[in-house]
């Protein structure tokens, strides 16, 4: 369980340090500093709620930080579909096949932020590490198959279908 330590500075102001063992027993000590006790207490509750882990999306020393979006940035899947739709000199059947391939293969590409948070890939955030993870997933045979999704939607709950669409990574 996380704890809060009050630290006195030389100028007699206080810093509140939240400490916890990352992942519980056997983990490494982690800390985060706050200028007021209320913020430290809120963060302590977040750490406790996430099983003694850094809260997803939290950046040490900065808090919850959104990655800045670049103008024109868009989801990778939408960009790939747009690219296929704009191809010229191909049959409609070929276009459908290309769209199917994009759905089957590109849908598992995810971006891992420096803090470890996994988010959907966009044309602006995909990095070499993300592509390596994708290639490994392809080698393992991980895919989102549209036909499975359609039949799933008829028979199962939405949550079960989402689990099929986005396979977990090791």
């Amino acid at each position: 369980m996380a704890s809060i330590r009050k630290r006195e500075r030389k100028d007699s102001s206080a810093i509140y340090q939240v400490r916890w063992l990352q992942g519980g027993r056997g983990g490494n000590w982690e800390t985060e500093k706050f200028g007021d006790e209320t913020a430290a207490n809120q963060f302590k509750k977040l750490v406790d709620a996430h099983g003694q882990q850094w809260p997803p999306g939290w950046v040490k020393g900065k808090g919850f930080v959104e990655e800045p979006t670049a103008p024109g940035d868009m989801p990778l899947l939408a960009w790939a579909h747009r690219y296929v739709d704009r191809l010229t000199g191909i049959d409609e059947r070929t276009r459908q096949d290309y769209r199917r391939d994009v759905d089957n293969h590109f849908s598992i590409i995810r971006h891992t932020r420096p803090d470890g948070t996994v988010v959907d890939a966009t044309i602006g955030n995909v990095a070499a590490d993300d592509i390596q993870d994708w290639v490994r997933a392809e080698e393992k045979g991980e895919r989102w198959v549209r036909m499975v999704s359609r039949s799933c939607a008829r028979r199962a709950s939405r949550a079960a279908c989402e689990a099929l669409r986005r396979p977990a990574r090791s």
Side-chain angles (χ1 to χ4, degrees), residues 28-94:
N28 295 325
W29 282 104
E30 296 286 343
T31 62
E32 184 68 297
K33 297 176 186 174
F34 295 89
D36 66 283
E37 191 171 11
T38 305
N41 199 24
Q42 288 175 340
F43 182 75
K44 176 189 173 298
K45 289 177 183 177
L46 282 172
V47 170
D48 289 339
H50 288 94
Q52 306 307 306
Q53 301 282 341
W54 286 95
W58 185 274
V59 177
K60 185 173 181 167
K62 296 182 181 179
F64 289 109
V65 178
E66 284 286 323
E67 284 187 8
T69 57
D73 196 16
M74 64 188 304
L76 184 64
L77 226 66
W79 179 86
H81 283 145
R82 193 172 106 187
Y83 175 82
V84 169
D85 290 343
R86 291 180 173 182
L87 288 174
T88 59
I90 61 172
D91 293 333
E92 194 54 38
R93 171 62 194 251
T94 303

Side-chain angles (χ1 to χ4, degrees), residues 4 11 25 30 47-48 72 89 99 104 107 116 125-126 137-140 151 163 165 169:
I4 299 175
D11 65 0
R25 290 184 185 178
E30 296 286 343
V47 170
D48 289 339
R99 286 183 68 86
N104 286 343
S107 64
N125 72 4
V126 173
E138 286 282 311
E139 289 172 345
K140 290 181 191 174
S151 64
R165 285 190 186 113
R169 288 190 180 171

Side-chain angles (χ1 to χ4, degrees), residues 6-169:
K6 183 178 178 181
R7 302 278 191 191
E8 296 290 331
R9 291 182 170 172
K10 289 181 182 179
D11 65 0
S12 71
S13 64
I15 286 289
Y16 297 89
Q17 182 183 53
V18 179
R19 290 182 40 137
W20 71 97
L21 281 170
Q22 181 75 0
R25 290 184 185 178
N28 295 325
W29 282 104
E30 296 286 343
T31 62
E32 184 68 297
K33 297 176 186 174
F34 295 89
D36 66 283
E37 191 171 11
T38 305
N41 199 24
Q42 288 175 340
F43 182 75
K44 176 189 173 298
K45 289 177 183 177
L46 282 172
V47 170
D48 289 339
H50 288 94
Q52 306 307 306
Q53 301 282 341
W54 286 95
W58 185 274
V59 177
K60 185 173 181 167
K62 296 182 181 179
F64 289 109
V65 178
E66 284 286 323
E67 284 187 8
T69 57
D73 196 16
M74 64 188 304
L76 184 64
L77 226 66
W79 179 86
H81 283 145
R82 193 172 106 187
Y83 175 82
V84 169
D85 290 343
R86 291 180 173 182
L87 288 174
T88 59
I90 61 172
D91 293 333
E92 194 54 38
R93 171 62 194 251
T94 303
R95 189 177 319 281
Q96 291 171 359
D97 290 345
Y98 287 173
R99 286 183 68 86
R100 182 197 63 233
D101 290 343
V102 165
D103 288 339
N104 286 343
H105 300 284
F106 286 18
S107 64
I108 61 173
I109 299 175
R110 299 285 178 267
H111 171 64
T112 305
R113 292 179 177 163
D115 66 355
T117 306
V118 179
V119 296
D120 285 336
T122 68
I123 60 172
N125 72 4
V126 173
D129 289 345
D130 302 324
I131 300 303
Q132 288 174 338
D133 292 343
W134 171 61
V135 169
R136 285 195 188 112
E138 286 282 311
E139 289 172 345
K140 290 181 191 174
E142 293 180 17
R143 289 198 176 87
W144 173 70
V145 180
R146 184 172 282 212
M147 289 182 295
V148 170
S149 175
R150 284 186 194 144
S151 64
C152 177
R154 282 186 234 124
R155 290 187 254 140
S157 71
R158 184 179 190 133
C161 291
E162 285 299 316
L164 286 174
R165 285 190 186 113
R166 305 203 186 260
R169 288 190 180 171

